[in-house]
Amino acid sequence: MKQEVKIFLGGGVILLEGNENMKGYRPSVVDPAISKLNSRRDADRIYIVKTFSDLIHEYAPEGQQEHYHRFVEKEADIALFIFDGTIGDKTREEVEHACNSYNKHQHPTVFFYGKNLKDNDEIVRYLFSKNQYFQHFKDKEHLLNLIQIDLSQWKKQRQWKKILLVIIGCLLFGLIALKMFHTCSSAPLIPSNEESDSLSVIVDT
């Protein structure tokens, strides 16, 4: 059975979904990239993408904002953001929420892609200050390739991270065991009662 990987797609609504004047990044870049990844013969996972617009139309007894927060913090495996020039306040809130969630829970993995942005722009400096992944892209084809590569490598990165944690755990356990052995072997021997009595007799004679 294929694993479901849930992705939160963040960015301006028009930027992602498009309008009569422009084709958004979701139908022209993200959906084709996800479709290609999902249709691979050796695919062992299914990527499912949701935007803020998708989430606010879902049934949410706890409230739409809380539903969105819970999805990003608890359910989404990946948060993927696309910027193109000016960034609105709502998108900035989504960015901060995803970064804060990662800092607190190491979840979700966050990918940021930007066009018409410079390294000294406020949002880019903020991402660098949070040690978050950020890539400039020049056009939609470039972005599509970046997304496919990053999502393909995401599992490998997670696997290596787990392996590294296991290795670190084993090393720590070994160091603790070695320290305990050294402490026990260097402790002075305390003679038993019988040995103490024998010693005292020898001394008295």
Side-chain angles (χ1 to χ4, degrees):
M1 186 175 179
K2 294 184 179 181
Q3 174 195 3
E4 283 191 358
V5 177
K6 297 180 180 179
I7 299 176
F8 172 76
L9 177 61
V13 175
I14 296 178
L15 181 70
L16 297 179
E17 305 295 347
N19 55 25
E20 63 276 7
N21 297 319
M22 63 169 284
K23 194 172 184 181
Y25 279 95
R26 182 176 187 175
S28 61
V29 175
V30 179
D31 288 347
I34 296 300
S35 177
K36 189 171 183 179
L37 291 171
N38 286 344
S39 61
R40 291 182 306 179
R41 271 188 190 176
D42 59 344
D44 57 355
R45 63 185 68 189
I46 294 293
Y47 295 93
I48 299 171
V49 178
K50 290 187 178 183
T51 64
F52 184 77
S53 297
D54 295 324
L55 293 172
I56 62 174
H57 288 100
E58 294 180 352
Y59 175 67
E62 75 273 34
Q64 298 299 339
Q65 194 67 29
E66 185 60 32
H67 177 56
Y68 154 71
H69 285 163
R70 181 170 55 80
F71 181 81
V72 173
E73 292 179 7
K74 307 290 185 182
E75 298 183 36
D77 302 289
I78 296 170
L80 191 156
F81 288 84
I82 299 173
F83 310 132
D84 191 342
T86 305
I87 297 165
D89 292 338
K90 191 62 185 178
T91 300
R92 193 179 302 275
E93 283 181 24
E94 294 175 0
V95 169
E96 292 176 356
H97 181 66
C99 290
N100 290 336
S101 178
Y102 182 80
N103 289 340
K104 291 178 182 177
H105 313 293
Q106 295 296 295
H107 178 91
T109 303
V110 192
F111 296 108
F112 295 96
Y113 306 95
K115 182 183 176 185
N116 298 318
L117 289 171
K118 298 179 181 178
D119 287 347
N120 61 352
D121 285 337
E122 183 182 355
I123 188 65
V124 179
R125 286 190 285 109
Y126 172 80
L127 296 177
F128 287 160
S129 73
K130 295 290 183 179
N131 295 317
Q132 288 291 346
Y133 174 95
F134 175 79
Q135 281 273 25
H136 293 281
F137 68 92
K138 58 184 180 181
D139 52 36
K140 290 185 174 181
E141 183 178 355
H142 184 207
L143 176 60
L144 188 148
N145 290 331
L146 286 174
I147 291 174
Q148 287 184 166
I149 292 171
D150 289 337
L151 293 183
S152 297
Q153 294 179 346
W154 174 71
K155 183 179 180 180
K156 296 177 183 178
Q157 292 171 348
R158 286 173 61 86
Q159 287 175 335
W160 275 111
K161 188 174 182 180
K162 289 180 180 178
I163 292 172
L164 184 61
L165 289 174
V166 170
I167 292 173
I168 292 173
C170 291
L171 289 173
L172 288 174
F173 179 79
L175 288 172
I176 293 171
L178 184 63
K179 187 175 182 180
M180 291 177 65
F181 175 78
H182 178 73
T183 302
C184 292
S185 62
S186 61
L189 295 175
I190 301 174
S192 63
N193 291 335
E194 292 182 359
E195 290 174 338
S196 298
D197 293 342
S198 299
L199 287 173
S200 61
V201 170
I202 294 172
V203 172
D204 290 341
T205 56

